[in-house]
Amino acid sequence: MSTYNENKEFKKITTHVLLAMKQRGERISMLTAYDFSMATILDDAGIDILLVGDSASNVMAGHETTLPITLDQMIYHASSVIRAVKRSLVVVDLPFGSYQGNSKEALNSAIRIMKEAGAHSIKMEGGEEIIDSVKRIISAGVPVMGHLGLTPQSIYKFGTYTVRAKEEEEAEQLVKNAKLLEEAGCFAIVLEKIPAALGKRVAEEIKIPIIGIGAGMHVDGQVLVMHDMLGINKEFNPRFLRRYLNMYEQIFNATKQFITDVKNKDFPNESEQY
Ligand code: KIV
């Protein structure tokens, strides 16, 4: 197994680079990004994939679910991220309602994201039920990442955000769907909130990279929502989440200090004015 090489080997991450990383056992890193400034930092730090997730609906817009975000809003976020990126592969979620109707509608949505945002690829939730759309989009030259397990756009069907595919029947269906997505030509698949043993099985049986979020340690890469891993959100505490900062507290304290400095006429001082 190769060790982490700070990714100096590649100028730009492409779908082919990701496949090569899986083949040589190098783990793939992926985070969400929705704006220019944060995407600049994450790309400079060497993240492999930036996902313009429809989680923007939650963390940027404050909605309870991912359902309300529109295609126009996704294009706005994606074009901001694209302007920042020099190296990472940018994947953009097709939002709820922009692809479930039929494959022509799905293709039109994917083309809008590629043309108007300048994205590198798109992500879609689902398996068998969207396979015609996946094939049509890929045949138009657009790389597609799949997403199975907990698919938040179907939250009202599931009813809860609990771990998926714990029972054999659902696990077998997930493996079948992963194979269908691979055969259709997807370049990678996200597996969300499933048992680690199932994540391991899929990563072993499928040749394309499997990126997990709450899918255990044996998959080919890991993705987290940036706001969660930076500790900007206080309330979201799933077992799979590792927090690398406590930004809520840091921003809160900095804001408190700013307010105090302004009230005390301490800011600006002599050297901070013209
Ligand atoms: O929208 C998103 O952030 C996602 C990740 C949870 C994988 O789809």
Side-chain angles (χ1 to χ4, degrees):
M1 185 153 56
S2 68
T3 51
Y4 176 57
N5 65 3
E6 293 202 333
N7 297 307
K8 289 193 178 105
E9 198 175 323
F10 302 111
K11 273 207 166 78
K12 265 186 187 295
I13 301 292
T14 64
T15 57
H16 302 277
V17 169
L18 296 174
L19 184 61
M21 285 167 81
K22 168 161 182 151
Q23 285 165 351
R24 64 167 184 270
E26 180 179 339
R27 291 289 196 254
I28 296 164
S29 61
M30 171 164 153
L31 284 169
T32 63
Y34 318 98
D35 70 280
F36 176 84
S37 302
M38 293 304 295
T40 300
I41 301 172
L42 305 185
D43 184 63
D44 284 351
I47 199 79
D48 296 315
I49 307 177
L50 281 178
L51 170 65
V52 184
D54 58 0
S55 49
S57 180
N58 310 107
V59 296
M60 299 302 285
H63 293 295
E64 207 172 304
T65 71
T66 58
L67 276 69
I69 199 159
T70 65
L71 186 56
D72 285 334
Q73 288 165 340
M74 288 303 294
I75 289 170
Y76 168 77
H77 286 297
S79 55
S80 308
V81 168
I82 280 286
R83 280 192 286 275
V85 161
K86 298 186 197 79
R87 177 184 167 278
S88 319
L89 182 88
V90 177
V91 183
V92 181
D93 266 332
L94 282 193
F96 177 69
S98 72
Y99 63 100
Q100 288 89 349
N102 57 60
S103 65
K104 186 163 184 273
E105 182 193 29
L107 177 62
N108 287 341
S109 302
I111 286 178
R112 280 200 62 201
I113 286 182
M114 300 300 281
K115 265 178 119 76
E116 295 175 39
H120 306 147
S121 59
I122 57 117
K123 175 162 84 59
M124 298 162 77
E125 295 183 7
E128 204 171 7
E129 71 282 11
I130 58 155
I131 209 70
D132 290 343
S133 301
V134 170
K135 285 182 185 161
R136 193 158 177 179
I137 293 171
I138 293 172
S139 71
V142 178
V144 175
M145 175 181 271
H147 185 156
L148 298 169
L150 177 66
T151 47
Q153 292 179 9
S154 305
I155 189 57
Y156 290 114
K157 186 174 87 183
F158 296 145
T160 71
Y161 285 99
T162 51
V163 180
R164 305 298 314 172
K166 287 208 286 201
E167 307 303 328
E168 200 184 330
E169 197 184 330
E170 196 183 338
E172 290 307 322
Q173 186 60 39
L174 187 145
V175 173
K176 190 174 150 210
N177 278 330
K179 288 184 177 160
L180 281 176
L181 291 171
E182 179 181 41
E183 280 159 24
C186 284
F187 71 89
I189 300 171
V190 165
L191 293 183
E192 181 164 352
K193 229 173 169 185
I194 58 161
L198 180 58
K200 180 172 189 282
R201 178 177 162 200
V202 177
E204 282 169 1
E205 289 186 22
I206 301 283
K207 293 198 172 55
I208 56 175
I210 303 298
I211 317 282
I213 173 163
M217 63 172 82
H218 298 290
V219 290
D220 307 303
Q222 298 292 333
V223 54
L224 286 175
V225 169
M226 177 198 34
H227 288 63
D228 301 337
M229 78 69 115
L230 293 178
I232 297 173
N233 298 332
K234 271 197 319 178
E235 284 82 23
F236 188 61
N237 286 304
R239 188 201 290 199
F240 68 75
L241 175 61
R242 184 179 294 180
R243 282 216 173 87
Y244 288 82
L245 280 177
N246 186 346
M247 276 187 70
Y248 179 92
E249 214 167 281
Q250 289 172 299
I251 296 171
F252 181 91
N253 289 339
T255 307
K256 280 276 197 208
Q257 189 60 54
F258 173 73
I259 295 167
T260 304
D261 291 353
V262 171
K263 301 281 181 199
N264 291 342
K265 300 179 183 165
D266 182 50
F267 175 78
N269 62 23
E270 291 287 333
S271 63
E272 289 163 334
Q273 62 187 0
Y274 298 100

